Amino acid sequence: MAATIGFIGLGNMGGPMAANLIKAGHRVLGFDLAEPALDALEKAGGERAGGVVALASEADVVVSMLPAGAHVRKIYLGDDGVLANAKAGALLIDSSTIDVDSARTFAAAAAERGFPMVDAPVSGGVAGAAAGTLTFMVGGTDDAFERAKPYLAVMGKTVVHAGGSGNGQAAKICNNMILGISMIGVSEAFVLAERLGLEAQKLFDISSTASGQCWSLTSYCPVPGPLPASPANNDYTPGFAAEMMLKDLKLAQEAAHASGAATPLGAEAAALYSLFCNSGGEGADFSAIVKFLRGSA
Ligand code: NAD
């Protein structure tokens, strides 16, 4: 059934996600601090909201796709935030990647006011947002998940209920910690192979069918050649920027410290991506860490 959806944060991800909701027949009211983002929404058939208060007071469903936890806090809490101004029973969906504790705090504050809220971070990048093929990792009650699912299914291909509030964010940072560590491992292997006189294509052919096989190797190979579509063949234009990987690795480290989990390789991956970003790599694709390891960044 068509709903009025208030979409806050119409950037690289939020813009195309909102466009897919419009294509599916929903009325989308959008808000962003950036004028070009609002222009793009109007072009896609959406409407500008005057601000968060105006948006929240009309929306059946609020979706947010903001940079980090501080932005989400600002939008949801406070007198001019979503919680103080939303329609009774409105469904709240935050798809930003933020820390687990904040996600749980916001969901609890929403529940106190009678609003079901899910954390629903995504994997799949800008291309997945445009194609409507994102994976959503969802944290929240069974009821909130069931209500959110039809809207998420419009923007994504896979919608997984990961458990209670915050578990979507937990799944996202655990997954991206695996990805950061494995990308460094694969990159180190290519650098070592070069030093040993083993061609990159040979290593790819062997390891992609042997025990070294993993997504970082066979879907996102960090050296040019073996996979023509990987960012390595396009001068490491993102894709998924190194600074975003660093953000997610830092979130994983915060969560590891807070929960007492031992994640020594996660810590090392965060340190390496921090060095890479500080030496000018922040805007490159995260697979460009191979150049840093080679000493050619
Ligand atoms: P982005 O910076 O392109 O978009 C964020 C938008 O939020 C911007 O348009 C900005 O103007 C707007 N904004 C910031 N503060 C605001 C406020 N107070 N009120 C209204 N609008 C505000 O970022 P993005 O790439 O779209 O990423 C959004 C989230 O998705 C992040 O949490 C990111 O970690 C996550 N994510 C991104 C990708 C990716 O590949 N880009 C992939 C998976 C997850």
Side-chain angles (χ1 to χ4, degrees):
M1 208 176 65
T4 296
I5 300 179
F7 206 115
I8 307 174
L10 300 159
N12 291 327
M13 297 292 290
M17 288 164 71
N20 282 329
L21 289 168
I22 295 165
K23 269 188 222 150
H26 296 294
R27 174 183 177 225
V28 175
L29 281 174
F31 178 64
D32 196 291
L33 300 178
E35 274 299 305
L38 292 167
D39 292 343
L41 176 76
E42 280 185 323
K43 253 194 203 141
E47 301 165 41
R48 285 169 188 251
V52 173
V53 175
L55 175 147
S57 60
E58 274 201 67
D60 306 312
V61 182
V62 174
V63 183
S64 50
M65 193 52 166
L66 294 156
H71 306 85
V72 179
R73 175 177 296 275
K74 188 170 185 312
I75 289 297
Y76 281 92
L77 308 184
D79 290 347
D80 53 359
V82 171
L83 296 191
N85 296 285
K87 273 171 46 172
L91 170 68
L92 313 179
I93 301 173
D94 179 40
S95 283
S96 325
T97 301
I98 66 170
D99 64 283
V100 175
D101 285 347
S102 294
R104 289 181 177 153
T105 301
F106 303 150
E112 259 174 34
R113 291 179 182 251
F115 300 116
M117 179 169 191
V118 294
D119 49 294
V122 304
S123 157
V126 177
T133 56
L134 294 169
T135 293
F136 284 92
M137 297 155 253
V138 188
T141 63
D142 290 347
D143 283 353
F145 174 73
E146 288 306 326
R147 274 189 68 187
K149 203 172 161 186
Y151 304 103
L152 302 178
V154 165
M155 301 181 280
K157 193 173 64 175
T158 309
V159 182
V160 184
H161 191 190
S165 290
N167 278 23
Q169 300 294 351
K172 168 78 183 171
I173 57 172
C174 288
N175 180 74
N176 279 20
M177 187 174 79
I178 297 173
L179 177 61
I181 293 170
S182 68
M183 182 53 79
I184 292 168
V186 168
S187 296
E188 286 186 359
F190 275 109
V191 171
L192 177 61
E194 280 163 29
R195 295 286 165 93
L196 299 177
L198 172 63
E199 278 175 31
Q201 185 66 50
K202 293 282 181 205
L203 176 62
F204 179 87
D205 292 345
I206 292 161
S207 288
S208 61
T209 55
S211 48
Q213 189 279 330
C214 66
W215 190 91
S216 292
L217 177 69
T218 54
S219 293
Y220 214 88
C221 187
V223 296
L227 289 181
S230 78
N233 300 281
N234 189 21
D235 204 19
Y236 296 96
T237 303
F240 184 52
E243 61 188 336
M244 304 271 264
M245 173 51 83
L246 177 57
K247 173 192 158 186
D248 292 355
L249 289 170
K250 283 180 173 169
L251 288 175
Q253 285 308 290
E254 280 170 28
H257 289 142
S259 64
T263 55
L265 289 181
E268 194 60 34
L272 279 167
Y273 271 101
S274 190
L275 283 170
F276 178 47
C277 288
N278 286 338
S279 62
E282 72 268 38
D285 186 76
F286 82 111
S287 61
I289 192 88
V290 70
K291 295 203 291 180
F292 182 72
L293 294 167
R294 192 191 283 129
S296 62

